[in-house]
């Protein structure tokens, strides 16, 4: 399967600059790039370094979103057909969205279409954040918050133009929105491809990372703390309606937690941007991994629990205006009867 990376970020965040750095690197891969811009002329594609190892496809019908997802699917299928015919070779795909695009429909494209699902492996969503203008963009543009909420890695650009205090405040805000995504600083687009490609963020792995420094009220290691209620990232003075929530419980009853997840996805899926969980199922030696984007979700069993580690269930949800108390009650209620008695 060909790895595919979605590169997003609000207008002027530095996506094209980062891509040019990649194209000048000795990364040893042939790269296909799908460029999307709002309007009839895609200027960004003319700014990209051209070469034998680069294939650029332009989409100029506006934001890559529901209204033009068909064009994106057609472009991806065309790339595959050309490769199958031997007229094009590429090892990796990068889709650079316009700064006005919500990443959700793009992500879903790779899961909904059967051909694309079988031929591409979605690697990660990379979001660039303009340190100089991000606070204003987040206050005024809902899509800017969504781009951060969907990210698997956040790349902070233009940090040389802001004070250390302003940068710290911005990082606080980003982590409140998305506690899963590591934050890296990028100066003038200089960042090794190893830091944002090949992340395997959409693999159903038996690991779950979250920045514990920004979780309240208990910031101990989440693997060993028997918390009975979800921990929500500290909300400072901002009014972002997207936030990260961490739920923890003991062993779960498989039928009960499955029914709860199905009901939750049906009722709240439109407002759950990204979610991932590592669940301990009563009577099952392996971890149950769940990962989803809105109403597109996958389940699989991962590696067995080690004898010495607590069998705890953890679910991280990044969402918009979610009914947290009801979700908390449902998650706790999905515990196995034995675990519930111990609690």
């Amino acid at each position: 399967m060909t790895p595919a990376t979605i590169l997003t970020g609000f207008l002027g965040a530095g996506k094209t600059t980062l891509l040019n750095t990649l194209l000048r690197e000795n990364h040893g891969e042939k790269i296909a790039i799908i460029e999307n811009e709002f309007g009839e002329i895609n200027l960004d594609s003319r700014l990209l370094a051209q070469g034998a190892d680069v294939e650029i496809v332009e989409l100029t019908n506006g934001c890559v979103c529901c209204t033009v997802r068909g064009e994106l699917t057609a472009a991806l299928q065309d790339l595959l057909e050309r490769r199958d015919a031997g007229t094009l070779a590429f090892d990796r795909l990068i889709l650079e969205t316009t700064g006005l695009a919500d990443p959700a429909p793009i992500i879903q494209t790779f899961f909904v279409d059967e051909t694309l699902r079988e031929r591409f492996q979605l690697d990660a969503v990379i979001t660039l954040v303009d340190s100089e203008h991000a606070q204003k963009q987040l206050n005024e543009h809902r899509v800017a918050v969504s781009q951060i909420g969907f990210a698997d890695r956040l790349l902070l650009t233009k940090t040389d133009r802001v004070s250390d205090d302003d940068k710290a405040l911005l990082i606080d805000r980003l982590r409140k929105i998305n506690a899963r995504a590591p934050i890296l600083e990028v100066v003038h687009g200089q960042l090794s491809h190893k830091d944002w490609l090949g992340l395997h963020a959409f693999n159903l792995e038996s690991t779950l990372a979250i920045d514990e420094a920004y979780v309240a009220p208990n910031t101990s290691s989440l693997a060993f703390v028997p918390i009975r209620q979800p921990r929500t990232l500290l909300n400072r003075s901002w009014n972002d309606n997207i936030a990260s929530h961490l739920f923890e419980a003991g062993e779960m009853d498989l039928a009960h937690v499955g029914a709860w997840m199905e009901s939750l996805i049906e009722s709240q899926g439109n407002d759950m941007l990204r979610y991932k969980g590592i669940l301990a199922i009563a009577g099952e030696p392996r971890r149950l991994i769940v990962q989803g984007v809105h109403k597109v979700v996958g389940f699989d069993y991962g590696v067995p629990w080690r004898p010495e580690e607590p069998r705890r269930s953890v679910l991280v949800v990044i969402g918009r205006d979610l009914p947290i108390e009801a979700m908390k009650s449902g998650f706790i209620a999905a515990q196995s009867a034995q675990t519930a008695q111990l609690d």
Side-chain angles (χ1 to χ4, degrees), residues 317-337:
V317 179
I318 299 173
R320 178 186 298 111
D321 297 330
L322 296 172
I324 298 305
E325 290 303 315
M327 292 171 65
K328 173 190 69 175
S329 299
F331 191 69
I332 298 300
Q335 292 182 116
S336 67

Side-chain angles (χ1 to χ4, degrees), residues 77-106:
Q77 291 175 339
D78 178 66
L79 286 175
L80 293 174
E81 290 172 2
R82 291 163 62 189
R83 184 167 64 179
D84 292 343
T87 60
L88 175 66
F90 62 95
D91 306 305
R92 179 179 298 277
L93 171 73
I94 298 176
L95 198 161
E96 181 191 356
T97 75
T98 173
L100 302 174
D102 187 320
I106 308 169

Side-chain angles (χ1 to χ4, degrees), residues 66-207:
C66 294
T67 56
V68 296
R69 192 162 64 185
E71 185 189 3
L72 172 60
T73 300
L76 292 170
Q77 291 175 339
D78 178 66
L79 286 175
L80 293 174
E81 290 172 2
R82 291 163 62 189
R83 184 167 64 179
D84 292 343
T87 60
L88 175 66
F90 62 95
D91 306 305
R92 179 179 298 277
L93 171 73
I94 298 176
L95 198 161
E96 181 191 356
T97 75
T98 173
L100 302 174
D102 187 320
I106 308 169
I107 298 170
Q108 292 172 324
T109 298
F110 287 91
F111 292 104
V112 172
D113 185 275
E114 183 177 358
T115 299
L116 302 183
R117 187 170 63 245
E118 294 176 351
R119 302 289 299 275
F120 287 104
Q121 172 62 56
L122 191 56
D123 182 57
V125 178
I126 307 297
T127 301
L128 277 72
V129 182
D130 178 347
S131 300
E132 187 176 16
H133 303 106
Q135 295 281 20
K136 186 174 187 295
Q137 292 165 352
L138 291 171
N139 290 338
E140 298 178 357
H141 302 280
R142 181 175 178 176
V143 70
V145 186
S146 293
Q147 290 170 353
I148 291 166
F150 278 107
D152 296 295
R153 184 151 297 182
L154 295 168
L155 304 184
L156 207 56
T157 65
K158 306 180 186 179
T159 54
D160 55 325
R161 301 187 187 182
V162 298
S163 67
D164 290 342
D165 288 344
D166 287 342
K167 181 174 71 173
L169 284 173
L170 176 59
I171 290 174
D172 280 353
R173 187 173 186 179
L174 298 179
R175 284 175 170 157
K176 179 258 177 183
I177 298 170
N178 185 338
R180 292 180 56 257
I183 300 174
L184 301 181
E185 292 189 30
V186 182
V187 180
H188 304 304
Q190 300 302 307
L191 185 70
S192 170
H193 67 280
K194 297 178 182 179
D195 290 321
W196 62 282
L197 297 179
L199 303 185
H200 309 293
F202 282 84
N203 288 9
L204 289 175
E205 299 172 341
S206 299
T207 57

